[in-house]
Amino acid sequence: MSTPAIALVPYPAVPANGGFTGSTTEYWAQAQAVQSAQDAQSRQDHYQLQREEAARLRMRKRQRLFTWMYNALAIGELVYFIVGLYMMEWQVADLQDNPLLGPGQEGILKMGGTYTPRITQRRQYWRLISSLFHNAGAIHITSNMGMVWTFGHFLVREISPWLVALMYFAAGLSGLLVSVNVGAEFSTAGASIPAFGLAGASTAMLLFRWRRFTCHFASAAVVGFIVGANAFIGATPFVDNSGNTAGFVFGAVICLGIMMVRREKTDTKIGGLLVYVIAVGAVAALLAAIVGGLAGLQLNTPIAGCCDMWVCTPSSLWHCNASRINICTLTTYVNDTSILTCPQGNRIAVSFGASSTADAVQTLCDSLCSSGASMVSSGGGSSGNTDTSQ
């Protein structure tokens, strides 16, 4: 805040011949008033310089702490990704199956990606955490780390790095719960969801405190380009734009809630009112998303199939079926012939014993339907069939 200027009283005028008109008492009284005003101005200037220097020191401390956090996150996700490739014997999927230079569905599954049937039926809730650090490919991890670095450094200029970290995980978990419910038919890596949360928080900060910043057109162009490019990446297999969108929205809502808690006024009355109204519902919306998402998984009622184009947008450049979860049907005929029907319609002859468990069917489904095993003809088969689905 700028300090108000203090009007300085000039010393009494002294004639050129050295004589002084007026009493000595008045002269020294005015001189003392001028000196006092100058001392007060000097003290205020010094205090303002001290405040600015302290603010710069706090800013450097925040940036150093965020840089340390970012380095830990980047190294952790990179090691996670390399270990995943090692587990898959350094095999990278075909570019049409995974254009992000990463493994196929088997690798995504082994490294803890979102896999709704296993979360709901086998209670593998740890995937809700592991997927936040799991990247679908080299391009995915590069874009995600770029988003975290760009928007994280912007946010720590306004709020604490610990609040940025809280925002990262809260928006990421909320968005991931939306992803595993909406994209229940796909296996995905969710590391881009918390990155989109920071993008949403930065957008909210730029909108509601726009008078603090300059070059608004350039800022909007940069944010739009980064978010648009990463949304394009989110349209590919093994990445979910429904989770990215939810993370973006929750990040913006959490940022407004933090602004409310810190009692930071916006530059306009309308902005202040909007911040208050939205921030009041921020905690409620966040808790509703988490509780609702967990309830949907617990009740085994995910919303699947409604927004498949939002999860993975069909294109001639990639195959969305590569990330679609293989849920197969096993049909056993009276002559002990078993036919496994893949989600894509492939029918494969398999051999089972007297009984077949759902886990065994799913294991065959994951291995055979994704590898393109040879099909059998659609004829044959008689009554007495039994369907077992995972």
Side-chain angles (χ1 to χ4, degrees):
M1 186 175 65
S2 60
T3 13
I6 298 178
L8 300 181
V9 182
Y11 281 97
V14 179
N17 58 7
F20 173 71
T21 57
S23 65
T24 306
T25 304
E26 291 177 354
Y27 178 85
W28 289 112
Q30 291 185 26
Q32 188 176 6
V34 171
Q35 187 63 40
S36 299
Q38 291 177 341
D39 291 343
Q41 180 69 40
S42 177
R43 285 194 298 271
Q44 289 187 8
D45 292 342
H46 181 68
Y47 177 67
Q48 182 67 21
L49 290 174
Q50 285 184 328
R51 289 182 59 186
E52 292 175 356
E53 182 62 24
R56 284 193 292 269
L57 289 175
R58 286 195 301 269
M59 180 67 62
R60 286 196 289 267
K61 185 178 179 180
R62 286 179 178 180
Q63 291 177 339
R64 283 196 300 268
L65 179 58
F66 173 78
T67 301
W68 181 85
M69 291 178 173
Y70 173 84
N71 290 337
L73 177 66
I75 293 173
E77 291 195 3
L78 182 61
V79 170
Y80 194 3
F81 178 68
I82 294 175
V83 168
L85 289 180
Y86 172 76
M87 292 176 62
M88 294 305 299
E89 298 180 351
W90 310 106
Q91 294 181 0
V92 177
D94 185 81
L95 289 180
Q96 286 195 322
D97 289 340
N98 187 351
L100 303 180
L101 303 179
Q105 186 177 110
E106 185 181 357
I108 298 294
L109 174 62
K110 283 186 176 180
M111 287 304 296
T114 58
Y115 200 90
T116 304
R118 295 203 175 188
I119 296 174
T120 56
Q121 298 169 12
R122 303 186 187 181
R123 300 294 184 261
Q124 295 181 356
Y125 291 106
W126 53 267
R127 292 183 180 274
L128 298 177
I129 304 300
S130 62
S131 184
L132 292 177
F133 307 97
H134 185 25
N135 294 272
I139 297 176
H140 196 209
I141 191 173
T142 303
S143 63
N144 291 338
M145 289 296 98
M147 288 184 74
V148 173
W149 177 263
T150 302
F151 295 118
H153 258 289
F154 169 76
L155 288 171
V156 295
R157 298 178 65 88
E158 303 294 326
I159 57 179
S160 165
W162 297 109
L163 291 177
V164 174
L166 174 64
M167 191 183 309
Y168 180 88
F169 289 110
L173 179 59
S174 305
L176 189 66
L177 285 169
V178 173
S179 173
V180 295
N181 281 275
V182 174
E185 295 181 351
F186 295 86
S187 179
T188 58
S192 57
I193 298 176
F196 268 87
L198 296 186
S202 300
T203 303
M205 188 75 72
L206 285 170
L207 286 176
F208 289 98
R209 304 180 69 179
W210 64 276
R211 290 186 182 274
R212 280 197 175 194
F213 309 106
T214 57
C215 304
H216 300 99
F217 179 79
S219 300
V222 169
V223 172
F225 174 77
I226 295 176
V227 172
N230 283 272
F232 177 79
I233 293 175
T236 60
F238 304 111
V239 189
D240 183 4
N241 261 341
S242 68
N244 291 342
T245 307
F248 185 92
V249 173
F250 283 118
V253 172
I254 295 170
C255 181
L256 294 176
I258 291 175
M259 292 171 64
M260 165 64 182
V261 171
R262 298 179 71 226
R263 298 292 192 275
E264 292 191 0
K265 296 182 179 180
T266 55
D267 297 312
T268 62
K269 291 183 178 180
I270 296 178
L273 179 62
L274 287 175
V275 168
Y276 179 79
V277 171
I278 298 176
V280 164
V283 176
L286 193 64
L287 291 177
I290 295 176
V291 173
L294 290 174
L297 294 176
Q298 186 68 26
L299 297 174
N300 199 13
T301 56
I303 309 169
C306 68
C307 310
D308 288 353
M309 292 186 64
W310 191 18
V311 177
C312 180
T313 305
S315 171
S316 60
L317 301 176
W318 55 75
H319 298 150
C320 285
N321 282 335
S323 62
R324 189 178 293 274
I325 294 174
N326 296 319
I327 301 178
C328 299
T329 301
L330 178 68
T331 305
T332 304
Y333 296 90
V334 291
N335 58 356
D336 292 333
T337 301
S338 297
I339 302 297
L340 189 71
T341 304
C342 298
Q344 300 88 348
N346 304 349
R347 302 176 70 248
I348 306 171
V350 295
S351 175
F352 269 104
S355 61
S356 58
T357 63
D359 285 350
V361 173
Q362 185 61 38
T363 301
L364 269 181
C365 183
D366 291 337
S367 60
L368 297 179
C369 293
S370 59
S371 63
S374 57
M375 298 186 297
V376 298
S377 62
S378 58
S382 58
S383 59
N385 55 349
T386 303
D387 292 346
T388 306
S389 308
Q390 172 69 10

